[in-house]
PDB file of all heavy atoms in Angstrom:
ATOM      1  N   ALA A 132     -19.896 -11.165 -16.820  1.00 63.00           N
ATOM      2  CA  ALA A 132     -20.072 -12.213 -15.966  1.00 63.00           C
ATOM      3  C   ALA A 132     -19.491 -11.889 -14.606  1.00 63.00           C
ATOM      4  O   ALA A 132     -20.108 -12.105 -13.632  1.00 63.00           O
ATOM      5  CB  ALA A 132     -19.619 -13.501 -16.552  1.00 63.00           C
ATOM      6  N   GLY A 133     -18.203 -11.393 -14.683  1.00 77.00           N
ATOM      7  CA  GLY A 133     -17.604 -11.081 -13.421  1.00 77.00           C
ATOM      8  C   GLY A 133     -18.320  -9.959 -12.596  1.00 77.00           C
ATOM      9  O   GLY A 133     -18.024  -9.902 -11.388  1.00 77.00           O
ATOM     10  N   MET A 134     -19.061  -9.102 -13.158  1.00 83.00           N
ATOM     11  CA  MET A 134     -19.716  -8.095 -12.555  1.00 83.00           C
ATOM     12  C   MET A 134     -21.158  -8.437 -11.991  1.00 83.00           C
ATOM     13  O   MET A 134     -21.833  -7.627 -11.293  1.00 83.00           O
ATOM     14  CB  MET A 134     -19.815  -6.848 -13.378  1.00 83.00           C
ATOM     15  CG  MET A 134     -18.490  -6.196 -13.745  1.00 83.00           C
ATOM     16  SD  MET A 134     -17.701  -5.632 -12.271  1.00 83.00           S
ATOM     17  CE  MET A 134     -18.572  -4.253 -11.738  1.00 83.00           C
ATOM     18  N   LEU A 135     -21.534  -9.656 -12.242  1.00 89.00           N
ATOM     19  CA  LEU A 135     -22.883 -10.091 -11.887  1.00 89.00           C
ATOM     20  C   LEU A 135     -22.871 -10.768 -10.538  1.00 89.00           C
ATOM     21  O   LEU A 135     -22.301 -11.874 -10.377  1.00 89.00           O
ATOM     22  CB  LEU A 135     -23.341 -11.034 -12.997  1.00 89.00           C
ATOM     23  CG  LEU A 135     -24.942 -11.116 -13.086  1.00 89.00           C
ATOM     24  CD1 LEU A 135     -25.629  -9.830 -13.476  1.00 89.00           C
ATOM     25  CD2 LEU A 135     -25.247 -12.200 -14.116  1.00 89.00           C
ATOM     26  N   PRO A 136     -23.491 -10.144  -9.469  1.00 92.00           N
ATOM     27  CA  PRO A 136     -23.485 -10.994  -8.173  1.00 92.00           C
ATOM     28  C   PRO A 136     -24.435 -12.189  -8.258  1.00 92.00           C
ATOM     29  O   PRO A 136     -25.437 -12.053  -8.936  1.00 92.00           O
ATOM     30  CB  PRO A 136     -24.007  -9.859  -7.181  1.00 92.00           C
ATOM     31  CG  PRO A 136     -24.258  -8.621  -7.989  1.00 92.00           C
ATOM     32  CD  PRO A 136     -24.137  -8.873  -9.406  1.00 92.00           C
ATOM     33  N   ARG A 137     -24.067 -13.096  -7.413  1.00 93.00           N
ATOM     34  CA  ARG A 137     -24.980 -14.254  -7.253  1.00 93.00           C
ATOM     35  C   ARG A 137     -25.799 -14.002  -6.029  1.00 93.00           C
ATOM     36  O   ARG A 137     -25.381 -13.444  -5.029  1.00 93.00           O
ATOM     37  CB  ARG A 137     -24.210 -15.608  -7.090  1.00 93.00           C
ATOM     38  CG  ARG A 137     -23.474 -15.950  -8.361  1.00 93.00           C
ATOM     39  CD  ARG A 137     -22.546 -17.096  -8.008  1.00 93.00           C
ATOM     40  NE  ARG A 137     -23.221 -18.254  -7.463  1.00 93.00           N
ATOM     41  CZ  ARG A 137     -22.600 -19.306  -6.905  1.00 93.00           C
ATOM     42  NH1 ARG A 137     -21.278 -19.237  -6.781  1.00 93.00           N
ATOM     43  NH2 ARG A 137     -23.210 -20.323  -6.395  1.00 93.00           N
ATOM     44  N   PRO A 138     -27.060 -14.450  -5.929  1.00 95.00           N
ATOM     45  CA  PRO A 138     -27.949 -14.299  -4.817  1.00 95.00           C
ATOM     46  C   PRO A 138     -27.543 -15.223  -3.722  1.00 95.00           C
ATOM     47  O   PRO A 138     -27.461 -16.490  -3.894  1.00 95.00           O
ATOM     48  CB  PRO A 138     -29.365 -14.579  -5.306  1.00 95.00           C
ATOM     49  CG  PRO A 138     -29.093 -15.517  -6.445  1.00 95.00           C
ATOM     50  CD  PRO A 138     -27.904 -15.173  -7.052  1.00 95.00           C
ATOM     51  N   PHE A 139     -27.308 -14.725  -2.430  1.00 96.00           N
ATOM     52  CA  PHE A 139     -26.964 -15.522  -1.327  1.00 96.00           C
ATOM     53  C   PHE A 139     -27.902 -15.125  -0.230  1.00 96.00           C
ATOM     54  O   PHE A 139     -28.453 -13.966  -0.179  1.00 96.00           O
ATOM     55  CB  PHE A 139     -25.562 -15.298  -0.831  1.00 96.00           C
ATOM     56  CG  PHE A 139     -24.593 -16.223  -1.549  1.00 96.00           C
ATOM     57  CD1 PHE A 139     -24.315 -16.081  -2.903  1.00 96.00           C
ATOM     58  CD2 PHE A 139     -23.767 -17.082  -0.730  1.00 96.00           C
ATOM     59  CE1 PHE A 139     -23.421 -16.962  -3.479  1.00 96.00           C
ATOM     60  CE2 PHE A 139     -22.821 -17.825  -1.401  1.00 96.00           C
ATOM     61  CZ  PHE A 139     -22.607 -17.733  -2.761  1.00 96.00           C
ATOM     62  N   GLU A 140     -28.085 -15.971   0.719  1.00 97.00           N
ATOM     63  CA  GLU A 140     -28.951 -15.788   1.981  1.00 97.00           C
ATOM     64  C   GLU A 140     -28.077 -16.030   3.191  1.00 97.00           C
ATOM     65  O   GLU A 140     -27.287 -16.952   3.234  1.00 97.00           O
ATOM     66  CB  GLU A 140     -30.078 -16.733   1.911  1.00 97.00           C
ATOM     67  CG  GLU A 140     -31.171 -16.476   3.007  1.00 97.00           C
ATOM     68  CD  GLU A 140     -32.335 -17.391   2.859  1.00 97.00           C
ATOM     69  OE1 GLU A 140     -33.343 -17.050   2.223  1.00 97.00           O
ATOM     70  OE2 GLU A 140     -32.247 -18.487   3.495  1.00 97.00           O
TER      71      GLU A 140
END
Side-chain angles (χ1 to χ4, degrees):
M134 291 303 288
L135 201 63
R137 292 171 57 193
F139 273 63
E140 185 178 270

